Amino acid sequence: MKNVLLAAACLLLGGAAAHAQNPAATESKALQQRINQLMRNPAKPQQELRLDLKGCHATQTIRDNKADVQASAPISVSYNKGGEAGWAAKVSDGKFELALDFEWSEVEPLTYLRRKPEKGKDEAPYEIKIRRVRKGNTTNFELPLYTTDEKAVLDVVRRLEKVRQGCQ
C-alpha cells in the first residue's frame, strides 16, 4: 500500500512540476481559449473565428461552413514567401475559409476599439486592432470580440500585448 501511495504522490508531483516548468505555454493556451470564446458570434453559430498562438507565431482563421458562396469548382489561393507569415483562402459551394499567419515581432502595439453596433447589424461591440508592418508593407486586421464587458477586453489586450512584447 505504501508503494502505491508513493507512486501516486510521485505522479502527482511530477505532473505539477511539468506544469510549473512551462507556465508560458499554459498561459498561451488559456489566452487562446479565452480569445476564441470571445470571438464566437452568437448570431452565427456555424461561423468559426480562431486565433491560434504558437510561441511568437499566430494564425487567425475565419471559417464558415454555411457561407453564401457558390463556385463551379473549389478555389484555393495562398501566399507565403520564404517561410515567412502569409495568408490562404479557400472557397467552395457553401464553404469559406481565410487564414492569416503573422509573427508577433512584426506587430505594432495593440489597440482596441469599442463600436456601437448599428441597429439591425450583427457587429461585435469590441475589436482588437492589429497592425503588422513588414518590409514597407502594412497589413491591418481585427479580432472581433462579442462581449460588452470592457474589463474582459482590456484583460485580453493586456495578455496579448505581453505575448507581443515577449517576441520583440
Side-chain angles (χ1 to χ4, degrees):
M1 183 68 174
K2 285 184 182 180
N3 289 340
V4 172
L5 289 174
L6 183 59
C10 288
L11 285 173
L12 286 173
L13 290 174
H19 180 75
Q21 289 174 352
N22 200 353
T26 302
E27 164 59 12
S28 181
K29 185 176 180 178
L31 176 57
Q32 178 178 301
Q33 288 175 336
R34 181 65 174 143
I35 290 170
N36 292 338
Q37 176 188 32
L38 292 172
M39 287 197 307
R40 177 146 311 277
N41 183 346
K44 296 182 180 179
Q46 78 284 355
Q47 194 177 70
E48 178 185 10
L49 275 73
R50 296 190 50 80
L51 183 67
D52 294 306
L53 303 171
K54 292 183 178 102
C56 289
H57 183 84
T59 303
Q60 179 187 21
T61 304
I62 301 167
R63 183 177 297 124
D64 193 337
N65 291 320
K66 292 185 180 178
D68 186 19
V69 294
Q70 295 179 359
S72 58
I75 301 168
S76 181
V77 182
S78 64
Y79 173 78
N80 188 320
K81 185 177 178 180
E84 293 181 12
W87 58 267
K90 298 177 189 176
V91 178
S92 63
D93 279 343
K95 297 182 192 268
F96 171 81
E97 182 175 309
L98 176 65
L100 175 63
D101 291 315
F102 62 95
E103 300 296 328
W104 284 110
S105 61
E106 300 170 344
V107 173
E108 292 183 344
L110 301 171
T111 60
Y112 76 96
L113 173 69
R114 181 180 182 159
R115 295 191 310 189
K116 191 170 190 173
E118 293 181 33
K119 191 173 185 175
K121 288 202 175 186
D122 182 38
E123 297 176 326
Y126 288 94
E127 58 186 31
I128 297 174
K129 300 284 195 179
I130 298 176
R131 180 177 168 92
R132 182 178 91 184
V133 179
R134 178 177 63 170
K135 298 178 187 170
N137 183 7
T138 302
T139 307
N140 296 303
F141 54 99
E142 297 82 27
L143 302 176
L145 301 178
Y146 291 89
T147 182
T148 56
D149 183 358
E150 188 168 13
K151 287 181 182 179
V153 173
L154 286 169
D155 179 59
V156 166
V157 170
R158 178 189 57 77
R159 291 164 68 190
L160 268 179
E161 184 63 20
K162 190 174 177 180
V163 170
R164 187 195 71 80
Q165 289 175 358
C167 294
Q168 297 302 312

